Amino acid sequence: MLTEEGRAKVNLTLRVVGRRVDGYHDLESVVAFADCADRLSLTPGSELGLKTTGPLAEACGEAADNLVFKAAQLLAERVPDLKLGEFVLDKVLPVAAGIGGGSADAAAALRLLARLNGLALDDKRLHEVALLTGADVPVCLASRACDMSGVGENLLPLKLPEMPCVMVNPRIGVATKDVFTALGLQKGELLVGASDVIQAPAWPEGDASIGDWIEALAAGTNDLEAPAMRIQPLIGEVLAALRDAAGSRLARMSGSGATCFAIFEDGAAARRAAETIERAHPEWWVHAGTLS
């Protein structure tokens, strides 16, 4: 049996450049990965299968609709005699949460199949399948901090320090499609002009400190935060709880929501903030850890 982790993806910034004529949105986002993850295992066998376990297994829906299943089928169409088997997904990350849980699971499936079949992780077929499976799957395939642009195909690695964080999800799903609809861009419409591109923040290089990164990230934004809050106002309550936490330096929504995060310079402060939020909102999903 082979195993891989599907680490939660966090959009530290998310800028919507515009909507293309084909309907897809061009984005630019600084992406980090958290130390919380789903766990995916693969037992080699003659047929493709998927079972879900864990505290959030029921939220995964039908196996045939799971991105793990989709990624495996797409790869089998491109790799002759691809060895497959039975996947078991231990689901602990919230779904429809803006942290790429399904995408991380699909990326983990591709890494497992690559190991089983002796494929290099830079195999073009893996990356083709990753993008066809979902916009966040390519960045989750590498599962390392980067600047992501286009529709998820352009990845520029970044060197992030380990940043203490608290992640909070109110256990209410928000559909990405609904958020982009609420953003309201027409096909061919740009949200970012030439002056915005020129004035875009430059991300720290080398061994930059947490403080340097927080300063740079604070100059950015998440353009999906406002439309997501119109769909689900509870996101505003989550953000307020994170911003009010002692030691919180930057709080923002990840992806299309509803998960939000706060960055702290001190891990102890992050843990205390998580405990305070959990006591006040026991129905919320709360994780204290690190982003990198």
Side-chain angles (χ1 to χ4, degrees), residues 2 42 44-45 48 72 75-76 78-85 87 109-121 123 125-126:
L2 307 174
L42 173 62
L48 175 63
L75 189 62
R78 288 158 176 78
V79 179
D81 301 318
L82 184 75
K83 297 176 185 177
L84 297 168
F87 288 102
L110 291 175
R111 292 195 300 272
L112 286 170
L113 290 171
R115 288 168 58 188
L116 181 61
N117 289 273
L119 301 177
L121 284 181
D123 190 302
R125 293 169 295 185
L126 282 176

mmCIF file of all heavy atoms in Angstrom, residues 2 42 44-45 48 72 75-76 78-85 87 109-121 123 125-126:
data_model
loop_
_atom_site.group_PDB
_atom_site.id
_atom_site.type_symbol
_atom_site.label_atom_id
_atom_site.label_comp_id
_atom_site.label_asym_id
_atom_site.label_seq_id
_atom_site.Cartn_x
_atom_site.Cartn_y
_atom_site.Cartn_z
ATOM 1 N N LEU A 2 0.578 2.183 -0.882
ATOM 2 C CA LEU A 2 1.284 3.458 -0.968
ATOM 3 C C LEU A 2 0.422 4.557 -0.362
ATOM 4 O O LEU A 2 -0.813 4.512 -0.450
ATOM 5 C CB LEU A 2 1.587 3.810 -2.425
ATOM 6 C CG LEU A 2 2.325 2.748 -3.256
ATOM 7 C CD1 LEU A 2 2.412 3.197 -4.706
ATOM 8 C CD2 LEU A 2 3.711 2.493 -2.691
ATOM 9 N N LEU A 42 -3.194 3.918 -1.660
ATOM 10 C CA LEU A 42 -3.476 3.164 -2.890
ATOM 11 C C LEU A 42 -2.950 1.741 -2.742
ATOM 12 O O LEU A 42 -1.751 1.538 -2.502
ATOM 13 C CB LEU A 42 -2.814 3.844 -4.096
ATOM 14 C CG LEU A 42 -2.872 3.088 -5.432
ATOM 15 C CD1 LEU A 42 -4.299 2.882 -5.891
ATOM 16 C CD2 LEU A 42 -2.064 3.834 -6.504
ATOM 17 N N PRO A 44 -2.484 -1.508 -4.938
ATOM 18 C CA PRO A 44 -2.525 -1.928 -6.343
ATOM 19 C C PRO A 44 -3.529 -3.059 -6.571
ATOM 20 O O PRO A 44 -3.687 -3.959 -5.743
ATOM 21 C CB PRO A 44 -1.091 -2.412 -6.604
ATOM 22 C CG PRO A 44 -0.259 -1.674 -5.604
ATOM 23 C CD PRO A 44 -1.122 -1.561 -4.377
ATOM 24 N N GLY A 45 -4.225 -2.961 -7.693
ATOM 25 C CA GLY A 45 -5.213 -3.971 -8.040
ATOM 26 C C GLY A 45 -5.593 -3.853 -9.500
ATOM 27 O O GLY A 45 -5.135 -2.961 -10.215
ATOM 28 N N LEU A 48 -10.017 0.114 -10.782
ATOM 29 C CA LEU A 48 -9.987 1.392 -10.083
ATOM 30 C C LEU A 48 -11.147 1.470 -9.093
ATOM 31 O O LEU A 48 -12.304 1.206 -9.435
ATOM 32 C CB LEU A 48 -10.091 2.543 -11.093
ATOM 33 C CG LEU A 48 -10.198 3.963 -10.524
ATOM 34 C CD1 LEU A 48 -8.945 4.332 -9.736
ATOM 35 C CD2 LEU A 48 -10.422 4.967 -11.661
ATOM 36 N N ALA A 72 -7.582 9.888 -11.928
ATOM 37 C CA ALA A 72 -7.101 8.551 -12.281
ATOM 38 C C ALA A 72 -7.620 8.120 -13.651
ATOM 39 O O ALA A 72 -6.875 7.540 -14.459
ATOM 40 C CB ALA A 72 -7.529 7.552 -11.210
ATOM 41 N N LEU A 75 -5.760 10.033 -16.414
ATOM 42 C CA LEU A 75 -4.392 9.552 -16.609
ATOM 43 C C LEU A 75 -4.394 8.204 -17.319
ATOM 44 O O LEU A 75 -3.540 7.942 -18.175
ATOM 45 C CB LEU A 75 -3.676 9.448 -15.258
ATOM 46 C CG LEU A 75 -2.174 9.156 -15.329
ATOM 47 C CD1 LEU A 75 -1.444 10.274 -16.064
ATOM 48 C CD2 LEU A 75 -1.584 8.981 -13.931
ATOM 49 N N ALA A 76 -5.370 7.351 -16.998
ATOM 50 C CA ALA A 76 -5.462 6.042 -17.651
ATOM 51 C C ALA A 76 -5.720 6.177 -19.149
ATOM 52 O O ALA A 76 -5.309 5.304 -19.933
ATOM 53 C CB ALA A 76 -6.564 5.212 -17.000
ATOM 54 N N ARG A 78 -4.348 8.342 -20.982
ATOM 55 C CA ARG A 78 -3.135 8.873 -21.612
ATOM 56 C C ARG A 78 -1.900 7.985 -21.435
ATOM 57 O O ARG A 78 -0.918 8.154 -22.167
ATOM 58 C CB ARG A 78 -2.844 10.275 -21.055
ATOM 59 C CG ARG A 78 -3.836 11.310 -21.585
ATOM 60 C CD ARG A 78 -3.924 12.546 -20.696
ATOM 61 N NE ARG A 78 -4.815 13.533 -21.324
ATOM 62 C CZ ARG A 78 -6.152 13.439 -21.293
ATOM 63 N NH1 ARG A 78 -6.733 12.423 -20.670
ATOM 64 N NH2 ARG A 78 -6.892 14.356 -21.882
ATOM 65 N N VAL A 79 -1.943 7.096 -20.464
ATOM 66 C CA VAL A 79 -0.804 6.217 -20.205
ATOM 67 C C VAL A 79 -1.230 4.774 -20.497
ATOM 68 O O VAL A 79 -2.061 4.223 -19.771
ATOM 69 C CB VAL A 79 -0.315 6.337 -18.753
ATOM 70 C CG1 VAL A 79 0.850 5.387 -18.509
ATOM 71 C CG2 VAL A 79 0.091 7.777 -18.447
ATOM 72 N N PRO A 80 -0.701 4.167 -21.536
ATOM 73 C CA PRO A 80 -1.084 2.788 -21.873
ATOM 74 C C PRO A 80 -0.795 1.825 -20.720
ATOM 75 O O PRO A 80 0.254 1.910 -20.067
ATOM 76 C CB PRO A 80 -0.201 2.474 -23.095
ATOM 77 C CG PRO A 80 0.144 3.817 -23.675
ATOM 78 C CD PRO A 80 0.256 4.738 -22.502
ATOM 79 N N ASP A 81 -1.738 0.939 -20.456
ATOM 80 C CA ASP A 81 -1.573 -0.101 -19.437
ATOM 81 C C ASP A 81 -1.234 0.468 -18.059
ATOM 82 O O ASP A 81 -0.421 -0.105 -17.315
ATOM 83 C CB ASP A 81 -0.495 -1.111 -19.861
ATOM 84 C CG ASP A 81 -0.821 -1.786 -21.191
ATOM 85 O OD1 ASP A 81 -2.000 -2.149 -21.398
ATOM 86 O OD2 ASP A 81 0.090 -1.916 -22.022
ATOM 87 N N LEU A 82 -1.843 1.581 -17.728
ATOM 88 C CA LEU A 82 -1.591 2.204 -16.426
ATOM 89 C C LEU A 82 -2.041 1.274 -15.300
ATOM 90 O O LEU A 82 -3.166 0.774 -15.292
ATOM 91 C CB LEU A 82 -2.350 3.535 -16.320
ATOM 92 C CG LEU A 82 -2.110 4.343 -15.039
ATOM 93 C CD1 LEU A 82 -0.745 5.011 -15.087
ATOM 94 C CD2 LEU A 82 -3.211 5.397 -14.848
ATOM 95 N N LYS A 83 -1.151 1.027 -14.344
ATOM 96 C CA LYS A 83 -1.505 0.230 -13.171
ATOM 97 C C LYS A 83 -2.383 1.078 -12.248
ATOM 98 O O LYS A 83 -2.056 2.227 -11.952
ATOM 99 C CB LYS A 83 -0.249 -0.210 -12.427
ATOM 100 C CG LYS A 83 0.673 -1.121 -13.218
ATOM 101 C CD LYS A 83 1.937 -1.410 -12.432
ATOM 102 C CE LYS A 83 2.931 -2.225 -13.246
ATOM 103 N NZ LYS A 83 4.202 -2.435 -12.500
ATOM 104 N N LEU A 84 -3.494 0.497 -11.810
ATOM 105 C CA LEU A 84 -4.435 1.215 -10.965
ATOM 106 C C LEU A 84 -4.587 0.478 -9.631
ATOM 107 O O LEU A 84 -3.671 -0.191 -9.179
ATOM 108 C CB LEU A 84 -5.779 1.341 -11.692
ATOM 109 C CG LEU A 84 -5.759 2.144 -12.989
ATOM 110 C CD1 LEU A 84 -7.047 1.945 -13.763
ATOM 111 C CD2 LEU A 84 -5.540 3.628 -12.695
ATOM 112 N N GLY A 85 -5.720 0.645 -8.981
ATOM 113 C CA GLY A 85 -5.952 -0.038 -7.722
ATOM 114 C C GLY A 85 -7.030 0.634 -6.910
ATOM 115 O O GLY A 85 -7.793 1.481 -7.414
ATOM 116 N N PHE A 87 -8.194 3.111 -4.056
ATOM 117 C CA PHE A 87 -7.846 4.266 -3.235
ATOM 118 C C PHE A 87 -8.700 4.268 -1.969
ATOM 119 O O PHE A 87 -9.883 3.932 -2.003
ATOM 120 C CB PHE A 87 -8.111 5.578 -3.980
ATOM 121 C CG PHE A 87 -7.146 5.879 -5.095
ATOM 122 C CD1 PHE A 87 -7.499 5.666 -6.422
ATOM 123 C CD2 PHE A 87 -5.888 6.402 -4.812
ATOM 124 C CE1 PHE A 87 -6.623 5.958 -7.443
ATOM 125 C CE2 PHE A 87 -5.000 6.693 -5.836
ATOM 126 C CZ PHE A 87 -5.360 6.472 -7.146
ATOM 127 N N ALA A 109 -3.484 11.596 -5.623
ATOM 128 C CA ALA A 109 -3.755 10.412 -6.436
ATOM 129 C C ALA A 109 -2.787 10.322 -7.616
ATOM 130 O O ALA A 109 -2.272 9.238 -7.936
ATOM 131 C CB ALA A 109 -5.198 10.445 -6.944
ATOM 132 N N LEU A 110 -2.511 11.459 -8.246
ATOM 133 C CA LEU A 110 -1.578 11.461 -9.370
ATOM 134 C C LEU A 110 -0.164 11.108 -8.912
ATOM 135 O O LEU A 110 0.564 10.390 -9.611
ATOM 136 C CB LEU A 110 -1.596 12.826 -10.067
ATOM 137 C CG LEU A 110 -2.885 13.160 -10.831
ATOM 138 C CD1 LEU A 110 -2.830 14.576 -11.381
ATOM 139 C CD2 LEU A 110 -3.131 12.158 -11.961
ATOM 140 N N ARG A 111 0.240 11.605 -7.745
ATOM 141 C CA ARG A 111 1.566 11.256 -7.227
ATOM 142 C C ARG A 111 1.651 9.759 -6.909
ATOM 143 O O ARG A 111 2.676 9.110 -7.162
ATOM 144 C CB ARG A 111 1.891 12.087 -5.985
ATOM 145 C CG ARG A 111 2.100 13.578 -6.274
ATOM 146 C CD ARG A 111 2.770 14.287 -5.107
ATOM 147 N NE ARG A 111 1.994 14.212 -3.879
ATOM 148 C CZ ARG A 111 1.047 15.096 -3.524
ATOM 149 N NH1 ARG A 111 0.775 16.126 -4.318
ATOM 150 N NH2 ARG A 111 0.402 14.971 -2.386
ATOM 151 N N LEU A 112 0.580 9.202 -6.348
ATOM 152 C CA LEU A 112 0.561 7.771 -6.052
ATOM 153 C C LEU A 112 0.644 6.930 -7.323
ATOM 154 O O LEU A 112 1.393 5.949 -7.391
ATOM 155 C CB LEU A 112 -0.712 7.422 -5.281
ATOM 156 C CG LEU A 112 -0.756 7.862 -3.816
ATOM 157 C CD1 LEU A 112 -2.157 7.671 -3.249
ATOM 158 C CD2 LEU A 112 0.256 7.096 -2.980
ATOM 159 N N LEU A 113 -0.129 7.314 -8.336
ATOM 160 C CA LEU A 113 -0.102 6.579 -9.601
ATOM 161 C C LEU A 113 1.251 6.724 -10.294
ATOM 162 O O LEU A 113 1.723 5.778 -10.947
ATOM 163 C CB LEU A 113 -1.230 7.058 -10.517
ATOM 164 C CG LEU A 113 -2.645 6.674 -10.062
ATOM 165 C CD1 LEU A 113 -3.689 7.386 -10.910
ATOM 166 C CD2 LEU A 113 -2.848 5.156 -10.134
ATOM 167 N N ALA A 114 1.873 7.890 -10.143
ATOM 168 C CA ALA A 114 3.208 8.082 -10.712
ATOM 169 C C ALA A 114 4.202 7.141 -10.038
ATOM 170 O O ALA A 114 5.031 6.500 -10.711
ATOM 171 C CB ALA A 114 3.641 9.533 -10.550
ATOM 172 N N ARG A 115 4.122 7.024 -8.714
ATOM 173 C CA ARG A 115 5.018 6.114 -7.980
ATOM 174 C C ARG A 115 4.780 4.662 -8.396
ATOM 175 O O ARG A 115 5.730 3.908 -8.621
ATOM 176 C CB ARG A 115 4.810 6.276 -6.475
ATOM 177 C CG ARG A 115 5.341 7.573 -5.912
ATOM 178 C CD ARG A 115 4.856 7.811 -4.482
ATOM 179 N NE ARG A 115 5.230 6.721 -3.580
ATOM 180 C CZ ARG A 115 4.788 6.625 -2.326
ATOM 181 N NH1 ARG A 115 3.938 7.535 -1.846
ATOM 182 N NH2 ARG A 115 5.188 5.620 -1.556
ATOM 183 N N LEU A 116 3.516 4.281 -8.508
ATOM 184 C CA LEU A 116 3.174 2.903 -8.844
ATOM 185 C C LEU A 116 3.630 2.528 -10.255
ATOM 186 O O LEU A 116 4.012 1.386 -10.514
ATOM 187 C CB LEU A 116 1.664 2.695 -8.717
ATOM 188 C CG LEU A 116 1.114 1.307 -9.016
ATOM 189 C CD1 LEU A 116 1.701 0.270 -8.061
ATOM 190 C CD2 LEU A 116 -0.413 1.308 -8.932
ATOM 191 N N ASN A 117 3.617 3.507 -11.155
ATOM 192 C CA ASN A 117 3.910 3.238 -12.564
ATOM 193 C C ASN A 117 5.281 3.738 -13.009
ATOM 194 O O ASN A 117 5.601 3.676 -14.204
ATOM 195 C CB ASN A 117 2.830 3.868 -13.448
ATOM 196 C CG ASN A 117 1.497 3.146 -13.336
ATOM 197 O OD1 ASN A 117 1.257 2.177 -14.047
ATOM 198 N ND2 ASN A 117 0.635 3.605 -12.435
ATOM 199 N N GLY A 118 6.086 4.227 -12.085
ATOM 200 C CA GLY A 118 7.429 4.678 -12.436
ATOM 201 C C GLY A 118 7.443 5.918 -13.310
ATOM 202 O O GLY A 118 8.347 6.096 -14.149
ATOM 203 N N LEU A 119 6.456 6.803 -13.134
ATOM 204 C CA LEU A 119 6.401 8.046 -13.907
ATOM 205 C C LEU A 119 7.095 9.165 -13.138
ATOM 206 O O LEU A 119 6.934 9.286 -11.919
ATOM 207 C CB LEU A 119 4.947 8.453 -14.174
ATOM 208 C CG LEU A 119 4.064 7.463 -14.927
ATOM 209 C CD1 LEU A 119 2.636 8.000 -15.025
ATOM 210 C CD2 LEU A 119 4.623 7.175 -16.311
ATOM 211 N N ALA A 120 7.845 9.991 -13.838
ATOM 212 C CA ALA A 120 8.474 11.157 -13.214
ATOM 213 C C ALA A 120 7.417 12.218 -12.948
ATOM 214 O O ALA A 120 6.446 12.351 -13.712
ATOM 215 C CB ALA A 120 9.563 11.717 -14.122
ATOM 216 N N LEU A 121 7.594 12.975 -11.866
ATOM 217 C CA LEU A 121 6.604 13.991 -11.526
ATOM 218 C C LEU A 121 6.563 15.142 -12.530
ATOM 219 O O LEU A 121 5.615 15.918 -12.543
ATOM 220 C CB LEU A 121 6.871 14.542 -10.120
ATOM 221 C CG LEU A 121 6.448 13.639 -8.964
ATOM 222 C CD1 LEU A 121 6.749 14.311 -7.632
ATOM 223 C CD2 LEU A 121 4.972 13.281 -9.066
ATOM 224 N N ASP A 123 6.484 14.513 -15.730
ATOM 225 C CA ASP A 123 5.887 13.929 -16.928
ATOM 226 C C ASP A 123 4.763 14.849 -17.419
ATOM 227 O O ASP A 123 3.874 15.225 -16.662
ATOM 228 C CB ASP A 123 5.328 12.541 -16.598
ATOM 229 C CG ASP A 123 4.913 11.757 -17.846
ATOM 230 O OD1 ASP A 123 4.058 12.261 -18.604
ATOM 231 O OD2 ASP A 123 5.430 10.642 -18.034
ATOM 232 N N ARG A 125 2.232 14.341 -19.153
ATOM 233 C CA ARG A 125 0.888 13.778 -19.050
ATOM 234 C C ARG A 125 0.289 14.022 -17.663
ATOM 235 O O ARG A 125 -0.917 14.261 -17.526
ATOM 236 C CB ARG A 125 0.926 12.289 -19.383
ATOM 237 C CG ARG A 125 1.274 11.994 -20.840
ATOM 238 C CD ARG A 125 1.564 10.527 -21.069
ATOM 239 N NE ARG A 125 2.766 10.091 -20.354
ATOM 240 C CZ ARG A 125 3.297 8.873 -20.460
ATOM 241 N NH1 ARG A 125 2.726 7.977 -21.254
ATOM 242 N NH2 ARG A 125 4.383 8.548 -19.784
ATOM 243 N N LEU A 126 1.120 13.977 -16.632
ATOM 244 C CA LEU A 126 0.648 14.263 -15.280
ATOM 245 C C LEU A 126 0.138 15.691 -15.181
ATOM 246 O O LEU A 126 -0.920 15.965 -14.605
ATOM 247 C CB LEU A 126 1.764 14.035 -14.256
ATOM 248 C CG LEU A 126 2.080 12.600 -13.857
ATOM 249 C CD1 LEU A 126 3.278 12.581 -12.919
ATOM 250 C CD2 LEU A 126 0.890 11.934 -13.203
#
